[in-house]
Amino acid sequence: MSERLIELLVSSFGKIFLSCLEVTIPLTIISFVLGTLFALLLAIVQIMEIKGLKQIVRIYVWIFRGTPLLVQLFIIFYGMPSIGLTIPAFPAAIIAFSLNVAAYNSEVIRSAILSVPKGQIEAGYMAGLKYSQIMIRIVLPQAAKVAFPNLFNSVIGLTKDTSLASSITVIELFKTAQQIAGRYFEPFALYCEAALVYLLISSLLSLLQSYLEKKAVWKKSDKKIKIKLTGEKI
């Protein structure tokens, strides 16, 4: 490796990592939070068997899980202007990623909620709780324990998927690497450097996931639920 290439990689690393902090990570966090909140709503609609709405949700999930994320990005950013709706690149990326995350995470949350024994719900009714109270105090805390690994995996996957935003002119991590590679004609080295940054972020997220899974917060939640169902004060 030449001295010139080493200097280029050292100087470009800061720019690539900065774009990760300023664009890639915020894009990931915002999209995941919005998508997961929407996913929770979609999951509850399906579980409550709301006539008409359930079918709409199923069609929505079918469409967004059955079409490529890249195509969804292009439709929102490049396609919508043809019908008179122009959305800037960064918001367009957030919309596309959020809608895609919602489709996948709604199935994760739905299956997690359904994994909670029906006896827990019946016990909640016996304790005089309303359906909404049962969901918030009993069902969702237990479902969160089941859904957490898959939801966190979607964060890691979304972090890598944000590289697709470069296709609609969002200057994120990979787009920055592309621009530098085009300027200095060193695509192999710079794309490998970008891959290294993605690997670093994904590894840190995996460590965070392992740490959170080992925390006693789940045990505390289970203990509180048991106390509530027995009628004792917390």
Side-chain angles (χ1 to χ4, degrees):
M1 186 179 293
S2 66
E3 184 177 342
R4 171 185 170 276
L5 182 56
I6 294 175
E7 291 177 357
L8 174 61
L9 291 175
V10 171
S11 63
S12 63
F13 183 83
K15 296 177 182 178
I16 293 174
F17 193 75
L18 182 62
S19 66
C20 175
L21 296 178
E22 292 181 344
V23 181
T24 299
I25 292 179
L27 180 58
T28 300
I29 294 174
I30 295 171
S31 299
F32 177 77
V33 171
L34 293 178
T36 302
L37 289 175
F38 189 34
L40 177 60
L41 177 62
L42 296 178
I44 291 175
V45 167
Q46 293 186 76
I47 290 171
M48 292 181 66
E49 300 282 346
I50 301 177
K51 189 175 181 180
L53 286 180
K54 181 181 178 180
Q55 286 70 26
I56 294 174
V57 170
R58 295 307 303 166
I59 292 173
Y60 166 84
V61 172
W62 170 61
I63 291 174
F64 277 87
R65 292 182 69 186
T67 56
L69 177 54
L70 183 60
V71 174
Q72 296 164 18
L73 281 164
F74 271 57
I75 290 175
I76 293 173
F77 184 69
Y78 293 114
M80 299 296 277
S82 64
I83 59 174
L85 183 58
T86 301
I87 305 174
F90 190 78
I94 289 177
I95 293 172
F97 289 134
S98 298
L99 293 176
N100 188 271
V101 165
Y104 282 93
N105 284 358
S106 65
E107 293 299 286
V108 173
I109 295 172
R110 183 177 68 88
S111 61
I113 292 176
L114 292 176
S115 71
V116 177
K118 291 184 178 180
Q120 299 279 336
I121 299 175
E122 294 172 357
Y125 281 123
M126 292 293 292
L129 299 177
K130 298 179 181 178
Y131 181 79
S132 59
Q133 293 175 315
I134 293 173
M135 287 297 294
I136 295 172
R137 299 182 183 182
I138 300 174
V139 177
L140 291 182
Q142 295 182 77
K145 179 180 179 180
V146 176
F148 179 79
N150 286 329
L151 291 179
F152 209 97
N153 285 337
S154 74
V155 177
I156 298 174
L158 180 59
T159 302
K160 295 176 289 185
D161 288 341
T162 55
S163 61
L164 295 175
S166 63
S167 63
I168 60 170
T169 73
V170 176
I171 312 298
E172 43 70 66
L173 190 161
F174 185 63
K175 186 67 173 180
T176 301
Q178 283 183 310
Q179 291 177 338
I180 299 173
R183 189 179 307 127
Y184 293 97
F185 304 102
E186 291 287 354
F188 179 78
L190 286 160
Y191 292 160
C192 285
E193 186 172 49
L196 180 62
V197 176
Y198 280 116
L199 181 61
L200 174 63
I201 299 301
S202 297
S203 299
L204 290 175
L205 288 173
S206 295
L207 290 174
L208 177 61
Q209 178 181 2
S210 298
Y211 171 75
L212 292 176
E213 286 179 345
K214 292 177 182 178
K215 283 183 67 68
V217 63
W218 305 118
K219 296 180 181 180
K220 292 178 181 178
S221 297
D222 291 342
K223 183 178 180 181
K224 287 183 178 181
I225 290 167
K226 290 177 182 179
I227 293 175
K228 283 180 179 291
L229 291 178
T230 56
E232 299 177 21
K233 294 183 178 179
I234 298 178

